[in-house]
Amino acid sequence: ELAFDSAGNLYAANADLGTISIYPPGSNVPLRQFWSHSQNHCNVRGVAVNAAGNVFVSDACTNALFEFPLNPSGSTTVLLALIGGGSGLSSPEQIAFDFAGNLYVANQGNNTITEYANGQLSNGTPTSTIVGGSTNISHPSGVAVDQAGYIYVLNNSPGSITVYAPGASGNVAPVRTISNLGSNFGSLAVDPFQNVYVNTGGGFQVW
């Protein structure tokens, strides 16, 4: 997964290495590398940067979220760790912030999208959860939120994108579904015009 901070630095999650690489604008040479293996992270799946510049990482092995300080360099002390049964996390994949600073997580292990309100991550429990048969969420690997607050979920089995109304919670039906995408997709993103971009491993598809 990829994420940008407000300065245009690119953050890349390297799942197999358990690291985050940080690239300055316009460069393919890492500015620094965040060695998350030192924090016992074995499967870094998602990365996102909040408005303050702090880096958030999801780890599918430990079912956890970690927050690290602005511009981490080398082995870094964890500012906050969200882990445990009450967290709602289960094989977390892509993570994303909305424009209000709320954090969303695609949990592949329990077919849910958990939301954590801005500044409330330390409470240890999600503010809301999209879950249930009516949601049509199945093995989600991606989540994104557009400028209007609509929540986009990339489902790997079967391949689909389901879209939920702003503030959606519980066993809610999607307001839009894009079907027949195939399988084994990675993450997704939404531009200001509500075009949806999906990482296919060998490139991108756009809807």
Side-chain angles (χ1 to χ4, degrees), residues 48-126:
V49 184
N50 69 3
N54 289 345
V55 181
F56 292 73
V57 175
S58 65
D59 180 19
C61 282
T62 57
N63 294 324
L65 286 175
F66 299 92
E67 179 184 2
F68 297 88
L70 173 67
N71 291 329
S73 178
S75 179
T76 307
T77 301
V78 174
L79 294 179
L80 185 148
L82 179 61
I83 191 168
S87 69
L89 300 172
S90 180
S91 296
E93 296 276 330
Q94 187 175 10
I95 59 179
F97 285 98
D98 65 15
F99 284 84
N102 304 309
L103 179 64
Y104 295 78
V105 181
N107 296 287
Q108 196 163 89
N110 59 9
N111 295 321
T112 66
I113 302 298
T114 46
E115 177 196 359
Y116 306 86
N118 187 3
Q120 301 299 311
L121 197 62
S122 60
N123 289 348
T125 57

Side-chain angles (χ1 to χ4, degrees), residues 109-207:
N110 59 9
N111 295 321
T112 66
I113 302 298
T114 46
E115 177 196 359
Y116 306 86
N118 187 3
Q120 301 299 311
L121 197 62
S122 60
N123 289 348
T125 57
T127 307
S128 65
T129 303
I130 302 176
V131 59
S134 296
T135 67
N136 294 329
I137 294 175
S138 181
H139 296 89
S141 64
V143 63
V145 186
D146 70 16
Q147 291 179 328
Y150 285 89
I151 304 160
Y152 296 71
V153 177
L154 177 62
N155 303 286
N156 267 284
S157 179
S160 68
I161 298 169
T162 46
V163 186
Y164 304 89
S169 182
N171 189 17
V172 294
V175 297
R176 179 189 176 196
T177 299
I178 303 171
S179 303
N180 302 316
L181 304 189
S183 61
N184 297 320
F185 292 107
S187 56
L188 82 164
V190 184
D191 70 17
F193 304 100
Q194 295 184 324
N195 296 310
V196 184
Y197 299 77
V198 175
N199 178 4
T200 63
F204 289 90
Q205 295 184 18
V206 184
W207 286 270

